Amino acid sequence: MRNSLREERFSIETTIVNILIIILISVGVIFSAVTALGLVRLPDVYTRTHAASKSSTLGVMCILGGTFIHFWLLEDHFNPQLVIAIAFLFITSPVAGHLIGRASYMSGIPLAEETVRDDMKIAIEKKKGEQK
């Protein structure tokens, strides 16, 4: 009797963990698909960079999180490399997207016609005024 109760509890826990893994990986795939769609459909380098850095970061982090939980809770294998990869991706991807956008602006790549406001132009003019 006691062994069957333990097996039933283990089965419920495994089911809950599997549901969590499926949700995380599915959300990651959805965000990755949104990234691909954004790279194809958005009008200029600045909005494409935003799509590539923000949504792909979240998508890959969800996929890595689901993988980490799978191996840790179901396979009993703690993988610190996945934790390091998640932290590294969380720190570097948004910064790289920002720097690519800034370098594009400084290189003179024009904004899309739909752009409403150019805050960078104001900041650069203000900085040049302070230096004189």
Side-chain angles (χ1 to χ4, degrees):
M1 178 72 177
R2 190 172 263 257
N3 195 17
S4 117
L5 183 62
R6 182 172 179 227
E7 289 174 2
E8 180 181 328
R9 183 167 183 243
F10 178 74
S11 175
I12 292 171
E13 290 173 359
T14 303
T15 303
I16 291 171
V17 169
N18 281 332
I19 290 171
L20 178 65
I21 291 167
I22 289 169
I23 289 171
L24 277 173
I25 292 177
S26 298
V27 166
V29 167
I30 290 169
F31 273 106
S32 296
V34 167
T35 299
L37 185 65
L39 289 175
V40 171
R41 297 291 309 256
L42 292 174
D44 63 350
V45 68
Y46 308 105
T47 53
R48 288 182 191 140
T49 303
H50 179 77
S53 65
K54 305 302 184 250
S55 60
S56 69
T57 301
L58 189 56
V60 173
M61 284 176 55
C62 286
I63 292 171
L64 287 176
T67 305
F68 175 75
I69 290 172
H70 170 77
F71 282 109
W72 185 30
L73 297 178
L74 297 181
E75 304 289 331
D76 284 336
H77 177 72
F78 182 81
N79 192 349
Q81 290 175 341
L82 282 174
V83 176
I84 292 169
I86 291 169
F88 183 75
L89 183 71
F90 182 71
I91 293 169
T92 59
S93 183
V95 172
H98 174 76
L99 291 176
I100 290 170
R102 187 177 178 97
S104 300
Y105 190 87
M106 295 299 183
S107 297
I109 296 175
L111 299 169
E113 294 176 5
E114 297 89 7
T115 304
V116 177
R117 189 172 75 189
D118 186 3
D119 289 335
M120 188 71 166
K121 182 178 181 181
I122 298 167
I124 290 173
E125 289 173 357
K126 183 178 177 184
K127 193 71 167 175
K128 285 181 180 178
E130 290 175 1
Q131 290 178 353
K132 288 183 179 182

